[in-house]
Amino acid sequence: MKKKTKVITIGASALAVVAAGLFGAGMYFYNVAVVPAPKTFLSKDKPIRKNSPAYPAHKWYQDVEKDKWYETSAGQNLKLDANYIPAAKKTNKTVLVAHGFMSNKNKMFSYAYMFHNLGYNVLLPDARGHGQSQGDYIGFGWPERLDYLKWIKQVVNKNGEDSQIVVFGVSMGGATTMMVSGDEGLPKQVKTFVEDCGYTTAYDEIAYQAKSMYSLPKFPLVDIVSLITQAKDGYNFKQASALKQVAKNHRPMMFIHGSRDKFVPTKMVYPLYHATKGPKELLIVKGAAHAQSYDKNPKLYTEKVSAFLNKYVK
């Protein structure tokens, strides 16, 4: 009897050690994935020199007059910050530009420049926990989708009921765009969506990164981090599903992805493209890495986006 009790005690102790180790690993990767902070796995920004193809857009963005807009986040009453750039000629066309993971509104200058040249007002918000917006966690687009609904309503309130709105995003911003598309209560003024290299679900993306960067299986670690996120921040990685949201969308959507995307693998775009119920178009930019489709071929990118939008935004 004593021997059996001893075995049970040793087994329980071993399980406790394993559980503690898994929880510790979960907290470590929670900080890596969900807490806004500099990330070693993200490439550092390079200075934009005068001979860079991006220089004209960067110079324009630095010099152009920008209005400050503010919003309160859905749920937590966080103060959110955005730049608003009116079109050169008065228009009812406005695009919301959603940035990616640990990026910010000011890094989206190339897209702001493109849409400005296409005749749009441009609204560039900082997502919660990024840039000048408040927040202590990254929502991978799920809580952010509700913030973007509030930004959309602010555009309508300020620019008029006849507003024609495009929602555009890159990477996490692309996923956010798709998550917005399937939400109930989306104002009628939203005419179309353009997403660039967004992921199917936060779970799929984080599982992919765990394997590619750390050679770790998705179970149980990603599930543990997801549970921690649920407990701390009120959402989980499977819930943050662009795939489920886009399946509820009936408005036009354009999907863009680089053929050499190793961060959000190119294969993710195909189930998303097939899931949406509205008019759609797919552009795979040959040779482009993650979030580099515009830089790789700005002429093609602009022509395709412009042609798509002109079908639905008059």
Side-chain angles (χ1 to χ4, degrees):
M1 190 70 179
K2 287 182 179 180
K3 185 176 181 181
K4 185 177 180 181
T5 302
K6 186 176 181 181
V7 170
I8 292 172
T9 301
I10 292 171
S13 298
L15 285 173
V17 169
V18 171
L22 287 172
F23 178 76
M27 285 302 301
Y28 172 80
F29 284 106
Y30 170 84
N31 283 292
V32 169
V34 184
V35 175
K39 309 295 181 184
T40 57
F41 55 86
L42 296 178
S43 57
K44 294 182 179 180
D45 295 327
K46 297 178 181 178
I48 298 171
R49 306 188 188 281
K50 287 188 175 182
N51 61 349
S52 167
Y55 181 77
H58 186 259
K59 181 70 166 59
W60 165 83
Y61 185 77
Q62 295 299 311
D63 294 343
V64 72
E65 183 177 341
K66 296 177 277 289
D67 298 330
K68 274 292 183 185
W69 283 22
Y70 300 100
E71 188 54 83
T72 302
S73 71
Q76 285 190 309
N77 291 322
L78 302 169
K79 185 177 180 180
L80 305 177
D81 184 281
N83 284 340
Y84 176 79
I85 304 171
K89 294 182 179 180
K90 189 175 175 62
T91 182
N92 66 346
K93 302 189 299 183
T94 303
V95 59
L96 275 73
V97 176
H99 64 74
F101 181 87
M102 290 315 304
S103 186
N104 62 63
K105 60 182 180 292
N106 294 327
K107 294 181 181 180
M108 302 300 282
F109 62 85
S110 291
Y111 306 103
Y113 185 61
M114 177 185 75
F115 283 112
H116 182 78
N117 287 336
L118 293 177
Y120 284 78
N121 308 309
V122 183
L123 179 63
L124 301 113
D126 278 331
R128 57 174 69 188
H130 293 73
Q132 294 174 290
S133 289
Q134 295 178 339
D136 57 5
Y137 69 88
I138 299 166
F140 289 91
W142 189 245
E144 291 88 348
R145 83 193 193 284
L146 302 177
D147 300 338
Y148 275 84
L149 286 174
K150 297 188 75 173
W151 285 118
I152 289 165
K153 290 173 183 177
Q154 186 174 162
V155 170
V156 175
N157 289 336
K158 288 185 174 179
N159 290 1
E161 290 289 329
D162 65 341
S163 291
Q164 298 184 82
I165 298 172
V166 176
V167 183
F168 168 88
V170 178
S171 193
M172 188 181 81
T176 305
T177 296
M178 291 185 280
M179 291 176 193
V180 169
S181 77
D183 225 79
E184 293 182 7
L186 185 65
K188 65 182 181 180
Q189 288 85 358
V190 177
K191 301 303 179 184
T192 186
F193 302 90
V194 180
E195 80 82 23
D196 184 340
C197 63
Y199 39 79
T200 48
T201 70
Y203 186 92
D204 291 343
E205 175 61 13
I206 293 167
Y208 172 81
Q209 293 301 334
K211 184 177 180 180
S212 65
M213 289 196 297
Y214 302 101
S215 300
L216 292 170
K218 62 184 177 182
F219 184 83
L221 186 61
V222 177
D223 297 83
I224 291 169
V225 180
S226 184
L227 285 171
I228 293 169
T229 305
Q230 180 75 67
K232 290 175 68 67
D233 306 318
Y235 80 98
N236 63 68
F237 296 157
K238 289 184 178 179
Q239 186 181 25
S241 173
L243 188 59
K244 287 182 179 179
Q245 287 293 97
V246 80
K248 295 185 283 184
N249 172 57
H250 292 268
R251 303 185 205 197
M253 184 174 291
M254 183 175 187
F255 300 81
I256 303 170
H257 223 102
S259 69
R260 293 188 179 179
D261 195 332
K262 305 300 183 185
F263 196 81
V264 177
T266 309
K267 66 181 181 181
M268 280 195 186
V269 74
Y270 298 107
L272 292 163
Y273 173 77
H274 291 301
T276 191
K277 302 298 191 296
K280 55 192 171 183
E281 186 172 321
L282 174 62
L283 172 63
I284 303 295
V285 178
K286 188 176 180 180
H290 182 64
Q292 295 297 309
S293 291
Y294 178 84
D295 293 338
K296 184 71 176 178
N297 196 333
K299 184 174 184 293
L300 173 69
Y301 195 106
T302 302
E303 287 175 352
K304 291 291 187 180
V305 169
S306 178
F308 182 77
L309 295 184
N310 286 342
K311 295 177 187 178
Y312 308 107
V313 183
K314 306 301 180 183

